[in-house]
Amino acid sequence: MRRLFAVICALVLIAAMSVPAFAGKVVLKLGHIAEPVHPYGQGAEKFAEIVKEKSGGEIIVKVFPSSQLGGQKDLIEGLIFGTVDMALVGTAVLGQFQPQISIFDMPFLFQDREHAYKSLDTVGMDLGKALEPKGIKLLGYMENGIRHLTNNVREVKTPADMDGLKIRVMTNKIYIEMMKSLGASPTPMAFGELYSAMQQGTVDGQENPSAHIWTKRFFEVQKFASKTAHSYAPEPLVMSMISWARLNPAQKKIIKESAKEAIDWQRKFSTQKDDEYWTLIEGTGKIKITEVDREKFAEATKPVYEKFANVVGQDNIDKINALKK
């Protein structure tokens, strides 16, 4: 499979180098899986707005939210083959194509949001360069948010309370191992299937930022929320190398500058909305919210670092730790 993927990447790169430039108005399709009101859904719209303004209407970004262009893996494959121009996708899925970028899925990696932003804008951008030979251009990192746990069985205050809980995770080895280290039973599942799976009891719970808990209405089918803040979830803004190659230098400059402006705006917006979402979730009266001792959870997940340090690069972990205050 790896050899086949390498051959496909080589063919895609050859195609990217030979594609004709866009003629006239440029229309780019940008897909993501979130609801339009989600902070990174709003970030996508802001990016489209800035691009249109900077280009004088020469470049139009059409945003397709709510998995209209497929799930995250579909979006990434679309980027590689040029059927999707741009996307917002999680590092958990992007890591299947560039394993070291999965470092940002490691538990309790960041001190705070500021530390996360510093790490993403330096170490993260360096790691993104390895995606280019595979057909993907990294433009920067918006954010999904800080991930927390919900479930339908019992209040979770300590890792011991997670014993045996069936928790939906992304199809990502780090998240699977993280849940195992906490005593839960990880259940990989597509995001689009999650609400009904919790409603029907196929899984006991899930882990996601407050934005998804609110906008996807997970609070309707969950009884308990624990503010574990076990990982920070960036949302890379990526582009097909085939589409990138079709832009002229001036258009590329507009896309890069617009991405930076939109990312700065989106991070501030997401931070503001995070507190608002928790207030709204609590206000429903449908779900009990519990503060936890995060140190106990961090200690329990240390085996994840022992297992994946070689995959994500111990040197990358050290670089990120060096950026702490």
Side-chain angles (χ1 to χ4, degrees):
M1 283 298 292
R2 285 184 180 177
R3 185 175 296 175
L4 176 60
F5 185 65
V7 170
I8 290 170
C9 287
L11 292 173
V12 168
L13 274 178
I14 291 168
M17 289 186 287
S18 60
V19 292
F22 285 107
K25 184 178 286 189
V26 177
V27 179
L28 302 171
K29 293 186 295 182
L30 190 163
H32 64 79
I33 67 168
E35 296 300 309
V37 294
H38 187 288
Y40 75 68
Q42 291 292 292
E45 297 291 347
K46 187 69 174 179
F47 172 70
E49 176 188 314
I50 296 170
V51 168
K52 183 178 180 181
E53 182 182 337
K54 281 184 177 290
S55 69
E58 180 190 342
I59 307 173
I60 300 297
V61 177
K62 288 190 174 181
V63 180
F64 295 83
S66 310
S67 304
Q68 289 178 30
L69 300 182
Q72 296 207 2
K73 193 172 181 183
D74 301 316
L75 290 170
I76 293 170
E77 289 172 351
L79 294 172
I80 291 170
F81 291 104
T83 55
V84 173
D85 300 302
M86 307 186 75
L88 281 160
V89 294
T91 50
V93 183
L94 202 56
Q96 296 175 32
F97 299 82
Q98 202 310 49
Q100 286 198 333
I101 218 160
S102 292
I103 191 169
F104 299 117
D105 301 315
M106 297 291 274
F108 303 97
L109 178 67
F110 299 122
Q111 195 173 41
D112 52 25
R113 269 186 163 96
E114 184 182 348
H115 180 215
Y117 300 155
K118 283 183 184 176
S119 302
L120 292 163
D121 295 342
T122 55
V123 180
M125 293 307 292
D126 286 341
L127 292 177
K129 292 172 185 173
L131 288 165
E132 294 187 15
K134 298 175 182 180
I136 300 168
K137 174 79 176 175
L138 174 67
L139 296 168
Y141 297 84
M142 291 193 187
E143 76 170 31
N144 188 349
I146 298 169
R147 305 181 80 93
H148 303 276
L149 178 79
T150 70
N151 86 95
N152 235 344
V153 178
R154 55 181 170 265
E155 185 178 15
V156 171
K157 293 183 178 179
T158 69
D161 297 325
M162 292 186 66
D163 187 43
L165 291 180
K166 291 180 291 182
I167 303 297
R168 177 269 175 182
V169 294
M170 294 171 282
T171 306
N172 175 280
K173 291 178 181 179
I174 290 175
Y175 276 91
I176 290 170
E177 199 61 33
M178 185 195 312
M179 285 301 140
K180 285 181 179 178
S181 72
L182 293 169
S185 175
T187 307
M189 180 182 294
F191 187 67
E193 301 170 10
L194 180 53
Y195 185 98
S196 60
M198 291 188 293
Q199 189 176 42
Q200 295 164 12
T202 307
V203 294
D204 298 318
Q206 58 87 48
E207 50 79 48
N208 259 302
S210 62
H212 279 319
I213 296 171
W214 175 254
T215 63
K216 290 292 186 181
R217 306 188 70 81
F218 293 158
F219 60 84
E220 294 178 338
V221 289
Q222 296 279 269
K223 295 176 183 175
F224 306 98
S226 299
K227 296 181 82 171
T228 49
H230 50 271
S231 64
Y232 170 87
E235 197 73 15
L237 175 61
V238 285
M239 186 168 187
S240 167
M241 286 297 290
I242 292 174
S243 301
W244 178 254
R246 297 186 68 191
L247 298 174
N248 64 40
Q251 292 167 338
K252 288 176 179 177
K253 186 171 184 285
I254 288 169
I255 293 294
K256 288 173 78 171
E257 289 177 352
S258 300
K260 185 180 185 309
E261 286 186 30
I263 287 166
D264 289 344
W265 179 89
Q266 193 271 340
R267 287 172 176 177
K268 292 183 180 76
F269 181 72
S270 179
T271 301
Q272 169 201 329
K273 295 298 288 185
D274 192 24
D275 289 337
E276 289 181 22
Y277 285 136
W278 280 117
T279 300
L280 289 168
I281 291 164
E282 188 171 27
T284 67
K286 293 178 179 290
I287 187 167
K288 181 177 182 180
I289 300 171
T290 301
E291 299 287 344
V292 305
D293 183 347
R294 294 181 67 243
E295 290 299 322
K296 290 181 180 178
F297 284 83
E299 184 66 28
T301 58
K302 281 185 176 178
V304 180
Y305 282 83
E306 295 168 12
K307 185 161 187 175
F308 290 100
N310 288 337
V311 175
V312 301
Q314 183 61 50
D315 58 331
N316 294 321
I317 295 172
D318 294 341
K319 287 174 188 174
I320 289 171
N321 286 336
L323 292 171
K324 290 179 179 177
K325 294 175 187 173

